[in-house]
Amino acid sequence: MGVLSGPVAVCIDRPLLALDRPFTYDLPGELGAGLGSVVQVPFHGRATRAWVLGATDDVPERMLRVRKLVSSVRSFDERSLVLFRAMSERYVAPLATVIGRAVPPRVASEETSIETPPPGNRPLPTLGTSPIDAYRDGPRLLEGLRAGQGGAFVVRPAPTDEAVAAVTCVAATLAAGRTAIVIVPDADPVPVTAGAVVDAFGADAVLFLGGDKRVRYRTWLEIAAGRYRVVVGTRPAVFAPLADLGLIYVHREGHPQHRDERSPSYHVRDVARMRAEIVGAVSVLSAFCPSLEATARDHVLVEPAGRPWAPVEVVRPGPEGRSPRLIRALRSATRAFVFEPLRGYGVARVCRSCGEPAACASCLGMLRLERGSIRCVVCEAPGRCASCGATDFGIARRGAERVEEWARGVAAVPVSLIGRDDPSRAPVEREVLVGGVDALKDVGSPGVDLVAILHADASLRRPGVDARERVLVTWFEAAAWARPDGRVIVQTDAPNDPAIQALVSGRPDRFRRAEAPRRAEAGFPVGSPVFRVTGRAELERELAALDPGTLLSSNVGGTTICLVALDAARVPGFGAEMRRLAAAGIVTRVEAEPHL
Ligand SMILES: [Zn+2]
Ligand SMILES: [Zn+2]
């Protein structure tokens, strides 16, 4: 670790766009600090934390001195700093914010006890042939990993191969003497794929998810010290300080949890690709139904040569979403999953006292009957009529509780409902399980007889630019629970919808071809960065002067909020402008990739 002295650029730990530039300080050599060191500097008269970014020629007339070295641990190396800078630029976020997300909060007492790495040369587990060898372009992916080459791949595993695809890729990476990161969308329960990787690589692998501050920081220090060759974790694992990185594998890449809701609101899929390009590693984005974003950029698609999916039958819903074919199938199924995206037992249609259409007395929202009580779906207030205050409503029955009820009258085996607060699981033998999106996690490949998808049409009509894609991803995840010789029944009045057709054919590419023009028409073409900018009234004119591809503006209580979509190549210039406007007090907040 190089020790610096003399003028150095530092990043002040103040997450403000207006201050998002390097400041120069004089670093005394005897501190032993260098790139990535946490130091303390005087800033506007106060002792402030900062990170050393490197030596600089940009020396002001009056230069203050770095006061002290805060920690002997370096927060990042040169290549990580390249990544952080690229993220700061791409997401128009202060560098300090990016570093604050990428490096876990320090627990000083853990720094004294970092164990030295064990001697290397641990034998690699021998893995037999993998089904990925037989995939289209599977050998190309595995040879690329074994040769330690870079490259961007999208893997669409067969339903039974989801975990083995990740294990195979990691094994090939370790065989090349390099290290690997596997990123999963959530920690609870630990996805089967994450468990499979940790099991396969034993002491070489570490789970980097959840845990308290102390455990997280200790694990991070151990990773930095070279104790592990495989890191498996949620979003922050994409920054894991592994040396010789050969693979970043993103499991279920379209999952909403892969996006950080806080600034810099990055998507882990994009950061994985950025980091892989910087360090010359392979990036793999894995999903049953890859997103438009994953496939919009150059990549090699790796997928099974044949059709590994159960056949999908399309039927009209029938009264209350009960087609005769579904009823017959449920009667004979011994292990089935019924996907019903709506919660509860039904929605209030009309007030029984005054006859007016039902609406929440507090906010006019929709009222839903769930677990025996009626509540507003918007504000959660107890259901009272907006017109007369009465609490008795005519109910239109629909939702998972109602499905559970009627399925009990049909199925030959017990029926259960998986609620919002229940741990996600697949149906067991002799069970029909009713559940929504929360049930569909990576619990392995349960191999059920029957998967039924209800309320398909209402799901496809949900608002949101990428709502249709999310729905299709969910359907594919549900369909993956069926045995290859099982059956999937989807109930729809729109059998020709490209999303339905994609599910039936087992090929999402057709859907993506239909969806891309829709997004472009809405003003948000796939691959175009989007920002929500908040600020003063002048903001709209300033943004219009930049002539972005799309500019939508609204005014809420004296605050101007603008949605901007622009060409990726123009983001650096846009970011520079936002930093200038932030310093002028015109921009108060920039959020990248907001929900649309
Ligand atoms: Zn309400
Ligand atoms: Zn009423």
Side-chain angles (χ1 to χ4, degrees):
M1 292 194 295
V3 170
L4 295 171
S5 69
V8 293
V10 308
C11 170
I12 301 286
D13 187 11
R14 295 277 305 279
L16 296 169
L17 265 188
L19 294 177
D20 188 29
R21 60 184 178 84
F23 292 84
T24 302
Y25 285 84
D26 186 21
L27 178 67
E30 62 269 23
L31 291 184
L35 187 137
S37 287
V38 184
V39 294
Q40 196 189 77
V41 297
F43 185 71
H44 294 310
R46 293 170 101 175
T48 306
R49 219 166 72 118
W51 292 277
V52 176
L53 303 176
T56 181
D57 299 330
D58 184 12
V59 181
E61 266 177 34
R62 188 170 156 268
M63 184 167 57
L64 296 170
R65 274 166 77 90
V66 172
R67 279 200 189 141
K68 67 174 191 186
L69 178 66
V70 174
S71 163
S72 61
V73 173
R74 302 275 174 101
S75 290
F76 47 83
D77 63 9
E78 213 153 327
R79 293 212 277 187
S80 294
L81 180 57
V82 172
L83 174 67
F84 300 162
R85 282 189 161 132
M87 287 179 66
S88 169
E89 181 165 87
R90 164 62 186 83
Y91 297 107
V92 188
L95 183 61
T97 305
V98 175
I99 298 173
R101 285 282 170 267
V103 181
R106 207 177 148 237
V107 180
S109 56
E110 293 295 325
E111 291 180 356
T112 53
S113 56
I114 313 166
E115 291 163 44
T116 48
N121 311 329
R122 259 192 303 244
L124 289 168
T126 44
L127 297 164
T129 52
S130 159
I132 310 307
D133 286 307
Y135 275 33
R136 217 175 276 138
D137 277 321
R140 189 169 164 190
L141 166 62
L142 299 181
E143 276 152 30
L145 288 164
R146 287 190 197 108
Q149 294 163 351
F153 293 82
V154 172
V155 172
R156 201 162 93 78
T160 47
D161 294 345
E162 206 180 16
V164 82
V167 171
T168 305
C169 288
V170 172
T173 308
L174 299 197
R178 301 183 82 175
T179 61
I181 294 172
V182 176
I183 301 154
V184 295
D186 45 12
D188 187 24
V190 173
V192 161
T193 299
V197 173
V198 170
D199 287 349
F201 302 101
D204 271 332
V206 65
L207 269 181
F208 187 52
L209 39 79
D212 64 10
K213 209 172 140 182
R214 185 172 289 278
V215 171
R216 286 192 72 77
Y217 191 57
R218 164 170 289 272
T219 307
W220 186 87
L221 290 172
E222 288 175 349
I223 295 167
R227 283 202 53 186
Y228 304 106
R229 288 192 275 188
V230 184
V231 174
V232 182
T234 45
R235 259 184 343 250
V238 76
F239 304 111
L242 280 171
D244 298 320
L245 191 60
L247 168 69
I248 309 182
Y249 190 103
V250 183
H251 171 60
R252 298 209 167 175
E253 57 83 21
H255 198 288
Q257 295 267 67
H258 278 317
R259 177 186 183 267
D260 196 333
E261 296 293 326
R262 305 161 304 175
S263 179
S265 52
Y266 66 90
H267 199 292
V268 83
R269 162 178 63 214
D270 302 325
V271 176
R273 279 191 170 166
M274 285 163 129
R275 185 171 179 194
E277 270 169 33
I278 290 166
V279 302
V282 166
S283 66
V284 172
L285 306 180
S286 165
F288 294 133
C289 175
S291 63
L292 275 88
E293 283 74 17
T295 49
R297 292 179 47 191
D298 273 352
H299 68 280
V300 176
L301 178 66
V302 179
E303 60 179 354
R307 180 193 166 105
W309 296 83
V312 178
E313 306 159 47
V314 177
V315 297
R316 304 246 174 221
E320 237 195 278
R322 286 181 283 172
S323 66
R325 198 185 313 180
L326 174 62
I327 298 292
R328 280 197 303 276
L330 273 176
R331 214 165 260 151
S332 59
T334 58
R335 193 177 184 192
F337 177 64
V338 181
F339 176 69
E340 168 55 74
L342 302 172
R343 283 159 42 196
Y345 187 84
V347 292
R349 274 278 168 253
V350 69
C351 170
R352 285 219 172 104
S353 295
C354 70
E356 288 294 311
C360 169
S362 306
C363 77
L364 299 181
M366 188 172 82
L367 300 174
R368 177 165 56 204
L369 175 58
E370 188 173 14
R371 291 179 197 164
S373 65
I374 298 180
R375 289 191 170 273
C376 172
V377 298
V378 182
C379 73
E380 304 211 316
R384 279 182 32 246
C385 172
S387 302
C388 74
T391 56
D392 191 16
F393 300 94
I395 300 288
R397 297 191 293 187
R398 62 177 199 221
E401 288 178 19
R402 171 58 186 150
V403 172
E404 182 201 19
E405 183 180 69
W406 66 248
R408 271 184 216 276
V410 171
V413 296
V415 177
S416 10
L417 173 68
I418 187 156
R420 214 176 14 155
D421 307 322
D422 300 329
S424 65
R425 64 177 180 90
V428 295
E429 275 306 329
R430 296 193 49 76
E431 180 186 38
V432 171
L433 185 66
V434 180
V437 181
D438 297 327
L440 284 171
K441 295 199 173 165
D442 173 12
V443 294
S445 177
V448 305
D449 307 338
L450 168 70
V451 170
I453 294 171
L454 310 190
H455 265 109
D457 300 337
S459 303
L460 287 175
R461 283 195 297 268
R462 261 192 230 137
V465 168
D466 63 352
R468 287 169 55 81
E469 177 177 276
R470 289 235 191 126
V471 168
L472 184 59
V473 167
T474 307
W475 290 349
F476 266 101
E477 286 170 3
W481 279 8
R483 292 197 316 260
D485 61 343
R487 62 201 287 207
V488 177
I489 294 178
V490 53
Q491 297 194 133
T492 175
D493 281 317
N496 292 322
D497 189 290
I500 301 286
Q501 285 300 310
L503 189 66
V504 170
S505 65
R507 302 205 55 89
D509 42 344
R510 229 186 111 171
F511 167 79
R512 288 195 293 263
R513 277 199 302 277
E515 195 67 6
R518 285 171 60 111
R519 297 235 192 137
E521 222 166 274
F524 302 102
V526 179
S528 280
V530 180
F531 297 92
R532 179 185 284 128
V533 188
T534 309
R536 289 203 322 235
E538 305 96 296
L539 177 62
E540 189 181 353
R541 201 186 43 212
E542 295 277 359
L543 288 174
L546 299 176
D547 192 26
T550 298
L551 173 59
L552 305 172
S553 185
S554 61
N555 209 292
V556 184
T559 302
T560 299
I561 301 170
C562 296
L563 270 181
V564 179
L566 72 171
D567 207 66
R570 298 188 53 202
V571 170
F574 170 78
E577 236 354 66
M578 292 307 101
R579 286 171 173 87
R580 184 183 70 76
L581 293 173
I586 294 170
V587 163
T588 50
R589 184 159 184 255
V590 180
E591 184 195 1
E593 304 305 306
H595 294 289
L596 299 170

